[in-house]
Amino acid sequence: RKEVEQDPGPFNVPEGATVAFNCTYSNSASQSFFWYRQDCRKEPKLLMSVYSSGNEDGRFTAQLNRASQYISLLIRDSKLSDSATYLCVVNKGSARQLTFGSGTQLTVLP
Amino acid sequence: NAGVMQNPRHLVRRRGQEARLRCSPMKGHSHVYWYRQLPEEGLKFMVYLQKENIIDESGMPKERFSAEFPKEGPSILRIQQVVRGDSAAYFCASSLQGADYGYTFGSGTRLTVV
């Protein structure tokens, strides 16, 4: 089983749509969780951290369910500029390094 | 405040040559991480270093690959006797306090082995 699993997509949605990405992780000792975005042939960039109580940053909402080892990202009112690959990222319990999912590709269509 | 600087951006090597990839972390960051991204695949951890120490090299191939982060100067990822399968994007990241708060990536070095 992969340490971090994501639906690879692709997700093709119209502008203004709401889209949700899911992610599961296998290490119950994981302590820190993040969503990164990666544009084609560019470096990954931190989108937001994910907290146990859930957190929101503008149109983006992240949720964490520790019991189910499940993380989600909700994007409301999608923009063309949201088109990218979204990476679910988990810190191993040892805190030595981050483990990246393979990513979910999103294309927002005009 | 410059971000994580990697060079070169693109590197072409013939099979059997050596590749040297450099990474200067963000100012004040002492934790450096190297990741590899093969075409159409996800990011794979290679090595985690602090100044003059390799902390975790569990993702490094056993042969031909080495990394260092000297007291002075950038971190270096060295690949000896490159093969076609080494063609990939190599990303370096740095952090202030380990991985708990995420890290910042450089723009990567794209290695092509011909």
Side-chain angles (χ1 to χ4, degrees), chain A residues 36 38 41 43 91 96 98, chain B residues 35 55 100 103 106 110:
Chain A
Y36 276 69
Q38 185 174 26
R41 300 183 68 78
E43 74 273 23
N91 179 355
R96 289 186 179 277
L98 299 180
Chain B
Y35 283 74
I55 307 301
D100 281 346
Y103 26 74
R110 299 196 177 274

Side-chain angles (χ1 to χ4, degrees), chain A residues 11-75:
Chain A
F11 284 63
N12 298 317
V13 303
E15 268 189 291
T18 295
V19 61
F21 304 137
N22 303 318
C23 166
T24 57
Y25 60 96
S26 62
N27 188 338
S28 59
S30 298
Q31 298 172 348
S32 305
F33 309 90
F34 310 91
W35 284 99
Y36 276 69
R37 72 170 273 169
Q38 185 174 26
D39 293 280
C40 187
R41 300 183 68 78
K42 297 284 185 68
E43 74 273 23
K45 292 185 177 177
L46 178 63
L47 180 65
M48 57 195 304
S49 301
V50 186
Y51 303 117
S52 296
S53 55
N55 50 298
E56 189 174 305
D57 182 1
R59 297 181 294 108
F60 299 84
T61 300
Q63 298 276 357
L64 169 64
N65 184 324
R66 285 187 185 272
S68 304
Q69 295 179 208
Y70 170 93
I71 306 163
S72 66
L73 176 69
L74 183 77
I75 305 175

Side-chain angles (χ1 to χ4, degrees), chain B residues 26-57:
Chain B
M26 285 185 72
K27 189 175 181 180
H29 285 193
S30 59
H31 301 253
V32 167
Y33 309 81
W34 285 94
Y35 283 74
R36 177 166 66 175
Q37 188 169 34
L38 294 167
E40 308 303 326
E41 293 191 16
L43 284 149
K44 302 297 181 192
F45 168 77
M46 299 182 76
V47 63
Y48 163 33
L49 310 105
Q50 292 183 32
K51 284 285 187 184
E52 298 186 277
N53 285 305
I54 296 175
I55 307 301
D56 182 350
E57 57 181 347

Side-chain angles (χ1 to χ4, degrees), chain B residues 80-91:
Chain B
Q80 295 178 288
Q81 299 175 313
V82 295
V83 301
R84 288 235 170 100
D86 296 333
S87 295
Y90 291 82
F91 290 101

